[in-house]
Amino acid sequence: GQNIDQPTEMTATEGAIVQINCTYQTSGFNGLFWYQQHAGEAPTFLSYNVLDGLEEKGRFSSFLSRSKGYSYLLLKELQMKDSASYLCAVRDSNYQLIWGAGTKLIIKP
Amino acid sequence: DAMVIQNPRYQVTQFGKPVTLSCSQTLNHNVMYWYQQKSSQAPKLLFHYYDKDFNNEADTPDNFQSRRPNTSFCFLDIRSPGLGDAAMYLCATSEDGGASDFSGANVLTFGAGSRLTVL
């Protein structure tokens, strides 16, 4: 079966750095996405990785290792507004998106 | 601004009473998706349209139907809602659902969602 694993919940302090991990087992690989979802709202796109390595976008970076089936989302200089769920999704060989259940990130002052 | 709009944002219905949720997009995207998301769970794809071609997920109950009368609009019909159908329903679009490239064609743009309560 296809599977995406993420921690259920993480807590971090305002101003700090947090890394949210995602491991996947899918039928093929055609890209990995990270989305942010605030409570009661729709997911919004954060990043896309299809090649190994680090993609940086301001305070957010995403890393991919295809050989390890592993990605992480790195959030720097955390702000209270970063409190949200972070969803990892992988596009498989049939171009279907397989979603993780999301990691709820709680930011404390 | 180009966007994906869902109506209504909140829908309360009675057990067994049909419900229709709507989605419209101004992005001119080819692909439209309907997802069901329950609290703290991954979004679950119900079906999607690639242009006019309808693709139903194998485990989507017959209780759920969809229509896409034109490029801009897509509807989700729940014929006889049960208590287990209470969820957030998310509409999303993408420029191209099948391209394997490094552009943004595969990125999903979501609407704000329609939260369904079944009494």
Side-chain angles (χ1 to χ4, degrees):
Chain A
Q2 308 204 87
N3 196 48
I4 308 279
D5 286 316
Q6 308 178 232
T8 304
E9 186 174 296
M10 299 181 70
T11 302
T13 304
E14 191 177 15
I17 298 173
V18 71
Q19 178 174 311
I20 301 174
N21 295 325
C22 170
T23 58
Y24 61 89
Q25 301 88 38
T26 57
S27 306
F29 178 85
N30 278 304
L32 183 145
F33 299 80
W34 284 96
Y35 282 81
Q36 180 191 61
Q37 185 174 27
H38 285 99
E41 297 182 13
T44 54
F45 170 72
L46 287 179
S47 69
Y48 172 68
N49 294 71
V50 68
L51 298 176
D52 290 351
L54 190 68
E55 293 282 340
E56 296 188 77
K57 259 188 185 183
R59 293 189 299 115
F60 293 6
S61 303
S62 57
F63 172 83
L64 174 67
S65 169
R66 288 171 296 171
S67 63
K68 295 182 179 177
Y70 168 70
S71 173
Y72 67 72
L73 181 68
L74 192 72
L75 291 76
K76 302 176 186 175
E77 302 169 18
L78 285 170
Q79 302 174 10
M80 297 303 293
K81 67 178 182 179
D82 297 330
S83 292
S85 287
Y86 292 85
L87 298 161
C88 174
V90 172
R91 194 175 295 274
D92 69 11
S93 57
N94 294 318
Y95 300 100
Q96 300 300 308
L97 263 185
I98 312 302
W99 291 85
T103 298
K104 183 178 181 181
L105 178 63
I106 299 168
I107 310 294
K108 295 187 174 179
Chain B
D1 286 343
M3 57 179 59
V4 180
I5 300 171
Q6 291 189 241
N7 283 300
R9 290 291 311 278
Y10 301 93
Q11 176 74 60
V12 180
T13 190
Q14 292 179 331
F15 184 95
K17 188 172 182 183
V19 159
T20 294
L21 307 177
S22 74
C23 177
S24 64
Q25 56 130 342
T26 59
L27 297 161
N28 205 32
H29 281 175
N30 291 318
V31 194
M32 294 188 78
Y33 309 80
W34 278 106
Y35 282 91
Q36 179 194 65
Q37 188 180 29
K38 298 185 178 180
S39 182
S40 301
Q41 295 185 20
K44 178 182 182 301
L45 182 64
L46 296 174
F47 20 60
H48 73 278
Y49 282 89
Y50 194 108
D51 198 8
K52 295 181 180 179
D53 292 333
F54 176 70
N55 298 273
N56 195 32
E57 293 302 298
D59 58 354
T60 298
D62 292 341
N63 196 27
F64 292 87
Q65 302 286 317
S66 183
R67 298 168 281 138
R68 188 178 185 186
N70 54 53
T71 303
S72 302
F73 283 88
C74 197
F75 299 94
L76 170 61
D77 300 308
I78 309 176
R79 294 193 295 191
S80 182
L83 297 178
D85 297 328
M88 175 77 92
Y89 290 88
L90 296 166
C91 174
T93 70
S94 68
E95 188 176 333
D96 188 328
S100 176
D101 59 21
F102 303 163
S103 72
N106 292 331
V107 173
L108 296 187
T109 301
F110 284 87
S114 293
R115 181 166 293 283
L116 177 67
T117 300
V118 182
L119 302 177

